[in-house]
Structures are given as structure tokens and as C-alpha cells.
Amino acid sequence: QLQLQESGSGLVKPSQTLSLTCVVSGGSMSGNNYAWSWIRHPPGKDLEWIGNIYRSGGTYYNPSLKNRVTISADWSNYQFSLRLTSVTAADTAVYYCARARDMAFDIWGQGTMVTVSS
Amino acid sequence: DIVMTQSPDSLAVSLGERATINCKSSQSVLSSSNNRNYLAWYRQQPGQPPKLLIYWASTRESGVPDRFSGSGSGTDFTLTISSLQAEDVAVYYCQQYYSTPLYTFGQGTKLEIK
């Protein structure tokens, strides 16, 4: 069955760029019914949707992060990526990649902890 | 943004007993065009990512045990576990997707065994 796995740096310095990749295995990324998403969970705070990318190439971002976030995809290599610039301690969180089907998140990666610290 | 508020923040229920978790949205998530409630429920077991249980407020995801059920409409929703099992110890989240693509989640309800 379809699986997602995040990878990337677990420690990022303040003001630098956070970069994560989600590799999709066991299935296809095709289909216009799906969105490929990033979600994060800061310690002690609510789950926060970061953004989506669609097979059409369209992207949508949370307005609270819009100026700092970019989601891209390499469809031929079954992966999509997150870049978050100018990070601060407030960006410390567990970051998840997920697939949205009918707009609910039906498949999640295991999550990766990213700490922003000097 | 649509704010999702869950209650209680935590609860303890005996094995085999019923557990009920509530979720209230700051505005209706019922679509007049298709009469569907844009509301999902997730279970997050310790050390695991969230797992989709219910979508469209009451549709059980494939493979989810039938002890889980969702109900409600408009702004008020309930997740019910009819007979609590040990593996149901987890944090439960509701999520709205009415304001897609700006999805928002509730703060979570921690469920423990009494």
C-alpha cells in the first residue's frame, strides 16, 4: 500500500532554511483527486496545515506562512518537498507529509522532528 | 479561519465502556450544495502519526472498526467509541476541510483508561 516517508535536516539554525523531502512508495502520485500536503505539530500547540501541491502543479499555502514556504514536486521520482525560509524557534515542530483524499488526510508519513536552534 | 474546539481536553474511560468526544466549529461546515459536513476525525496513538477514522462527519474510513462512529451537523460533532479497547488510548483530533485549502484542527482530546 502507499507509504510516505519524510527526510531532511533535524536541526536548523535560526534565519536559515528548513528543507524536507517526502518520498512516496508503494503506489502512484497520479490522480486529480489527491493533494500532497505538509502538516506540522509544534510542541504543546495544535496541528497546523502548511500547504498542498496538486498533480496539476497548483499550490496552496497557509496564509500565516505564505511568504516563507514553497512546496514543489518531482513527480517522476515520486517525491515532493518543503522549503521554509527564515526559520525561528517557533518553527520547531514534528513535520508530517500526507496525502489528502476528498480533503481529509488519509495517509501520513511517520513524521520528522525539526528543531530550530543555534 | 474556522476555529475547532474539542471537549473535554482529556477523559478516562473504563475498558469496554463508551467514550464520547465533542468538537465544535466556529462556523458551520455543512455545505448547502451537497449537504455534506466537511469534518474528519483522527486517532493518534503514542509515537505514531494521526490516522484517519471518520470523514464527511460520519463515514468510517476503510478498515476502521465499527466501534467508532461520528455524528453531528453544522457546528457540533461527536466521535463515539462504543466499547473502549486498550489500543484506543490515544489523542483524538477533529479537522474541518470546509474552508479548503485552509484546513484547521482541534486542539486534541487525550483518552486514557480508567
Side-chain angles (χ1 to χ4, degrees), chain A residues 95-109:
Chain A
Y95 284 76
Y96 296 99
C97 58
R99 185 183 80 171
R101 186 203 75 217
D102 288 333
M103 297 171 281
F105 300 105
D106 66 334
I107 301 175
W108 296 63

Side-chain angles (χ1 to χ4, degrees), chain A residues 20-25 27-30 36 38 52-59 70-82:
Chain A
L20 296 175
T21 294
C22 181
V23 175
V24 179
S25 61
S28 170
M29 293 185 76
S30 62
W36 303 91
W38 288 97
N52 286 353
I53 188 165
Y54 296 82
R55 193 64 180 85
S56 64
T59 53
T70 303
I71 296 175
S72 59
D74 181 352
W75 305 109
S76 59
N77 285 310
Y78 295 90
Q79 58 187 26
F80 60 108
S81 299
L82 169 70

Side-chain angles (χ1 to χ4, degrees), chain A residues 39 41 46-49 52 54 60 62-63 96 100-106 108-110, chain B residues 38 40 42 44 47-50 52 55-56 61 93 95 97 100-103 105-107:
Chain A
I39 297 159
H41 199 178
D46 296 352
L47 286 158
E48 180 180 34
W49 169 75
N52 286 353
Y54 296 82
Y60 293 91
N62 191 318
Y96 296 99
R101 186 203 75 217
D102 288 333
M103 297 171 281
F105 300 105
D106 66 334
W108 296 63
Q110 277 296 117
Chain B
Y38 285 53
Y42 301 84
Q44 185 172 27
Q48 296 296 315
L52 178 64
Y55 59 100
W56 299 129
E61 174 73 338
Y93 297 95
Q95 174 233 331
Y97 45 97
T100 298
L102 183 53
Y103 313 85
F105 293 85
Q107 83 276 17

Side-chain angles (χ1 to χ4, degrees), chain A residues 11-15 89 115-118:
Chain A
L11 180 63
V12 183
K13 288 181 167 52
S15 79
T115 301
V116 178
S117 175
S118 55

